[in-house]
């Protein structure tokens, strides 16, 4: 998902404000926004932890933003993507599932006994279940994160 945020802050003020509100390592401190900020843009993850509960959402998107100075202030262009660890684990999951399916098909071919083909359902269920969960988890977090990032800049202007 891509979205833009328009603010009346100058680019330098916008970068400074974002740096002030985004910490690099704040999971244990339950900081609301975690990530890195520089003059070009940011990578921010919204921390789902609350005062009473420590939570980690692996499916939460990484919000990658760039600052563009305009006559009215600054426009922030944000793209959301999955965390690299989820992408790597998903690739691993695909390879393992396809490997198991290949082994099952070869076994059936070698023995010329196709009664074992029912076992192909098991890795396919794991494969589709994993991707269904990943996509659903990402989509559910996507809109919440967008609202939280927008709120970060709306809070300043209020």
């Amino acid at each position: 998902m891509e979205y833009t945020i328009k603010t009346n802050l100058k680019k330098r003020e916008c970068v400074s404000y974002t740096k002030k509100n985004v910490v690099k390592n704040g999971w244990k401190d339950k900081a609301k926004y975690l990530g890195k900020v520089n003059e070009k843009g940011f990578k921010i993850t919204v921390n789902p932890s609350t005062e009473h509960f420590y939570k980690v959402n692996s499916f939460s998107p990484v919000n990658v933003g760039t600052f563009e100075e305009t006559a009215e202030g600054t426009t922030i262009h944000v793209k959301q993507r999955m965390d690299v660890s989820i992408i790597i684990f998903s690739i691993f999951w695909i390879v393992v599932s396809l490997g198991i399916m290949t082994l099952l098909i070869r076994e059936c071919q070698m023995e010329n006994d196709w009664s074992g083909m029912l076992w192909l359902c098991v890795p396919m269920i794991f494969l589709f279940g994993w991707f269904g969960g990943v996509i659903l988890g990402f989509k559910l977090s996507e809109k919440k994160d967008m609202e939280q990032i927008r709120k970060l800049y709306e809070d300043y202007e209020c």
Side-chain angles (χ1 to χ4, degrees), residues 26-30 47-56:
W27 287 106
K28 292 181 182 173
D29 299 333
K30 298 181 182 128
N47 187 355
S49 297
T50 63
E51 288 183 25
H52 305 291
F53 297 103
Y54 172 75
K55 298 186 236 174
V56 176

Side-chain angles (χ1 to χ4, degrees), residues 141-153:
S141 298
E142 191 177 52
K143 191 169 183 179
K144 289 179 190 173
D145 272 23
M146 180 185 70
E147 291 168 357
Q148 290 296 321
I149 298 293
R150 284 186 190 276
K151 188 175 181 327
L152 170 67
Y153 293 99

Side-chain angles (χ1 to χ4, degrees), residues 92-124:
F92 171 76
W93 199 248
I94 289 170
V95 170
V96 168
S97 296
L98 292 176
I100 291 171
M101 288 190 295
T102 303
L103 289 173
L104 287 171
I105 290 170
R106 288 200 164 225
E107 185 70 26
C108 290
Q109 283 177 335
M110 292 176 82
E111 294 183 12
N112 205 13
D113 178 19
W114 297 96
S115 61
M117 287 301 285
L118 186 60
W119 286 104
L120 274 177
C121 293
V122 174
M124 288 176 75

Side-chain angles (χ1 to χ4, degrees), residues 64-133:
V64 181
T66 56
F67 301 112
E68 177 187 343
E69 193 155 11
T70 62
E72 299 85 34
T74 304
T75 300
I76 306 164
H77 302 280
V78 183
K79 292 181 183 178
Q80 293 180 319
R81 64 167 175 79
M82 282 190 193
D83 188 72
V84 174
S85 61
I86 295 296
I87 294 169
I88 291 170
F89 191 75
S90 295
I91 291 169
F92 171 76
W93 199 248
I94 289 170
V95 170
V96 168
S97 296
L98 292 176
I100 291 171
M101 288 190 295
T102 303
L103 289 173
L104 287 171
I105 290 170
R106 288 200 164 225
E107 185 70 26
C108 290
Q109 283 177 335
M110 292 176 82
E111 294 183 12
N112 205 13
D113 178 19
W114 297 96
S115 61
M117 287 301 285
L118 186 60
W119 286 104
L120 274 177
C121 293
V122 174
M124 288 176 75
I125 289 170
F126 282 125
L127 187 63
F128 291 125
W130 170 257
F131 280 105

